[in-house]
Amino acid sequence: MNKSAGCYVALFPLLLAGCTSGPEQPPITTLPVKLDGQSASIPDKWWTLYHDADLNHAVEQALTNNRDLRMAAANLRAAKAVVDETDAARLPTTSLNTQAGYGSTANDQLEAALDQSDHIRTGARYGVGIDVQWEIDFFGRLRSMRYAANADALAVMAEEEGARVLVAAETTRAWLSACSYAQRIGIAQRSLLLATQGQQLASQLYQSGAGVELDVIRAQNQVELAAAELPPLQAARHNALAELAVLMGQLPDNPPQAAMQCQSTPSLTSIAVPHSEGMTMLSRRPDVLKAQQALIAATARIGVATADFYPQISIGGSVFSSAHQPDGWDKSGATVWSLGPLISWSFPNVSEQRARLAQANAHEQSALAHFDAIILGALKDVQQGMTNYNAALQQNAALKKAAAGSQHALKLASIARKEGAATALELLDAQRTDIAIQHQLASADTQLINTQIALFKSLGGGWQQAPSIPLPEPQRRPVPSQISLVDNREIKQ
């Protein structure tokens, strides 16, 4: 090879360094929205708007001890370790190797050839060596791998943040549901008491000849219907308390005492949500952030696939000593060494690299479509949440007016009864009407709670100032010698 050709070979990697190694930026969403990240008036710890210290404590406990959150935190730790692994790939790597054996080796054959002898030594041979290799990232392969791993880790972090949002919302829902069901149980018990009183009054009138048997049967049916309302409400309250305990990392039969003693639902009259259909909230939604990072990772992997078209260039060095005995390693001729560039390149057949690049481009298109779908879903959640919340507010306001009117009518009926202007049955009917409206209002309160929490969850709050999640060290019991860790069962065909 002449000097000119040698120079071209030496400069070839530098000439290729100007080639592109994939897109520098991920694609933007195809939707006409802007992820401006403006702050909202909704506080991050939105459950504090209910002004219940016990509820606040329960949510904080859940954000610390929930087992799903611990699993998410462990997954995040693993993702961060992958980032560390890709960072380490950009550093020089060293390997130490030793060998020892008896017989004839390549070194023994080389010695015989150098001595022009037909006798090849047979005996002990010892060797020790060290290799150092450092990949020069001319074409951004390692850099793109690092970008992809970092985006993957951020996506896992967003997934953890999404789990925090879910845990905070479901803990609040379970707490308020337990309080709401306790309130409804109280109303149902009063309804049963009034139905029982009505049944007793109808029986007395029938026995005195002032009533008919049909009224007695109807009154008894009212007692049975009122009694039938209690078991489902009691079961629902029990289930809400069990769910609350598990969300807080406790056994299901160990809910907090404050929740068990709660008899009325903390009220929240209104939520001030910024206009613009929730677009300013998109940067608060962990699922949007996760999809965005997945798109960034997909773009970075295009760079990895593109870099595979070009040579992988490394600076390498090695030192190896071989002798009949270890004390001969320092003798002249026992050591060989090398230093220089190492080039690995699959060329001219690049069909495999083209297929990998096509896969990477398709994955980016899929990630972009998923990003758009998540944005649309987030906007839909906020819009539907606001619609349902406003409807629940209107229903609740109408029932409150009806309840106020019923209370006034009951007061007038009580006065009329005392003055002899109304019968006992008329007063009882007014009491039943009032209880029925209270029952409807309590049900509407439960629905209002559900719409409030659904709206809060759609707005993505609850993860920004969440406490850290402790990961306890695994505790292991000693395994008896007769017990194997391997499951020897076979799947039946």
Side-chain angles (χ1 to χ4, degrees):
M1 181 183 296
N2 56 36
K3 291 184 178 181
S4 176
C7 290
Y8 289 135
V9 171
L11 291 175
F12 185 64
L14 298 179
L15 295 175
L16 288 178
C19 299
T20 179
S21 60
E24 293 293 331
Q25 296 291 334
I28 61 175
T29 177
T30 62
L31 302 173
V33 297
K34 182 180 180 182
L35 295 175
D36 48 20
Q38 294 178 4
S39 59
S41 59
I42 300 296
D44 294 331
K45 297 183 178 181
W46 51 264
W47 52 89
T48 60
L49 296 175
Y50 290 95
H51 302 291
D52 188 329
D54 293 323
L55 169 60
N56 298 342
H57 178 71
V59 175
E60 293 295 321
Q61 288 294 309
L63 291 175
T64 303
N65 299 323
N66 183 268
R67 296 310 190 263
D68 290 336
L69 289 183
R70 289 187 179 181
M71 181 176 65
N75 292 338
L76 178 57
R77 180 179 294 184
K80 290 180 178 179
V82 173
V83 177
D84 294 338
E85 181 181 359
T86 56
D87 285 339
R90 304 173 71 179
L91 301 175
T93 60
T94 58
S95 60
L96 178 67
N97 58 84
T98 61
Q99 65 181 39
Y102 185 89
S104 297
T105 66
N107 289 331
D108 294 321
Q109 296 177 5
L110 180 60
E111 288 181 0
L114 293 175
D115 294 339
Q116 297 182 354
S117 171
D118 294 333
H119 175 70
I120 300 176
R121 177 187 176 277
T122 300
R125 171 70 69 171
Y126 301 90
V128 61
I130 184 171
D131 294 324
V132 179
Q133 186 170 332
W134 181 25
E135 181 175 348
I136 307 299
D137 195 22
F138 276 119
F139 309 108
R141 186 181 73 90
L142 298 179
R143 183 178 67 253
S144 297
M145 289 176 60
R146 205 274 179 189
Y147 288 162
N150 187 69
D152 286 339
L154 291 176
V156 175
M157 180 182 295
E159 187 173 357
E160 180 198 47
E161 293 163 351
R164 292 176 189 266
V165 172
L166 182 62
V167 167
E170 295 308 314
T171 301
T172 305
R173 187 196 305 275
W175 182 285
L176 298 180
S177 295
C179 297
S180 176
Y181 283 123
Q183 182 178 0
R184 293 171 65 180
I185 288 172
I187 295 173
Q189 289 173 340
R190 293 195 296 274
S191 178
L192 177 59
L193 178 60
L194 289 175
T196 302
Q197 293 174 355
Q199 188 270 340
Q200 293 173 351
L201 181 58
S203 297
Q204 292 172 2
L205 292 174
Y206 176 68
Q207 292 173 2
S208 66
V212 295
E213 185 179 4
L214 180 60
D215 291 337
V216 176
I217 295 174
R218 288 176 175 175
Q220 183 60 39
N221 289 339
Q222 290 296 323
V223 172
E224 293 172 354
L225 289 175
E229 291 183 355
L230 277 171
L233 293 175
Q234 292 168 341
R237 178 176 178 271
H238 178 79
N239 292 339
L241 289 171
E243 182 179 3
L244 175 63
V246 172
L247 286 166
M248 295 175 63
Q250 304 293 329
L251 296 177
D253 59 352
N254 187 30
Q257 283 295 120
M260 297 178 66
Q261 297 171 358
C262 182
Q263 298 296 320
S264 60
T265 307
S267 60
L268 177 65
T269 55
S270 62
I271 306 173
V273 179
H275 188 58
S276 75
E277 299 180 342
M279 286 189 291
T280 58
M281 294 291 179
L282 288 177
S283 59
R284 290 167 51 95
R285 295 256 316 204
D287 57 343
V288 174
L289 299 178
K290 177 183 176 182
Q292 187 178 37
Q293 293 301 324
L295 177 58
I296 293 174
T299 302
R301 289 189 172 91
I302 294 178
V304 176
T306 304
D308 287 341
F309 282 91
Y310 307 118
Q312 293 185 17
I313 303 173
S314 303
I315 300 297
S318 64
V319 177
F320 183 79
S321 293
S322 177
H324 301 158
Q325 297 295 331
D327 57 4
W329 285 338
D330 58 347
K331 293 182 179 179
S332 176
T335 301
V336 294
W337 61 275
S338 65
L339 178 66
L342 305 174
I343 299 178
S344 175
W345 192 15
S346 297
F347 184 80
N349 183 6
V350 292
S351 299
E352 184 177 352
Q353 291 91 322
R354 287 175 178 169
R356 287 198 295 266
L357 180 59
Q359 294 175 40
N361 283 316
H363 286 320
E364 184 190 51
Q365 292 172 340
S366 174
L368 176 58
H370 179 66
F371 184 42
D372 290 344
I374 292 295
I375 291 176
L376 287 173
L379 295 175
K380 181 199 69 174
D381 288 346
V382 174
Q383 186 180 82
Q384 291 180 341
M386 284 298 302
T387 300
N388 294 335
Y389 175 61
N390 289 330
L393 273 181
Q394 294 173 13
Q395 180 191 38
N396 195 266
L399 286 173
K400 282 183 177 179
K401 290 182 179 179
S406 175
Q407 285 286 314
H408 184 64
L410 179 59
K411 182 178 179 181
L412 294 177
S414 299
I415 295 173
R417 174 59 181 162
K418 290 179 181 180
E419 296 177 352
T423 64
L425 283 177
E426 290 174 338
L427 175 61
L428 187 60
D429 286 340
Q431 291 173 333
R432 288 173 178 172
T433 301
D434 182 63
I435 287 294
I437 294 178
Q438 288 185 32
H439 180 72
Q440 292 183 41
L441 180 58
S443 299
D445 286 339
T446 302
Q447 181 62 26
L448 180 61
I449 289 171
N450 290 331
T451 58
Q452 287 170 350
I453 294 175
L455 178 58
F456 281 130
K457 188 163 64 172
S458 70
L459 296 176
W463 57 268
Q464 293 89 338
Q465 301 179 27
S468 59
I469 305 171
L471 290 179
E473 291 297 327
Q475 302 295 320
R476 313 181 196 279
R477 292 194 181 103
V479 181
S481 58
Q482 67 270 22
I483 299 179
S484 174
L485 292 177
V486 180
D487 192 343
N488 294 319
R489 293 176 296 173
E490 295 182 0
I491 299 178
K492 295 181 180 180
Q493 301 294 334

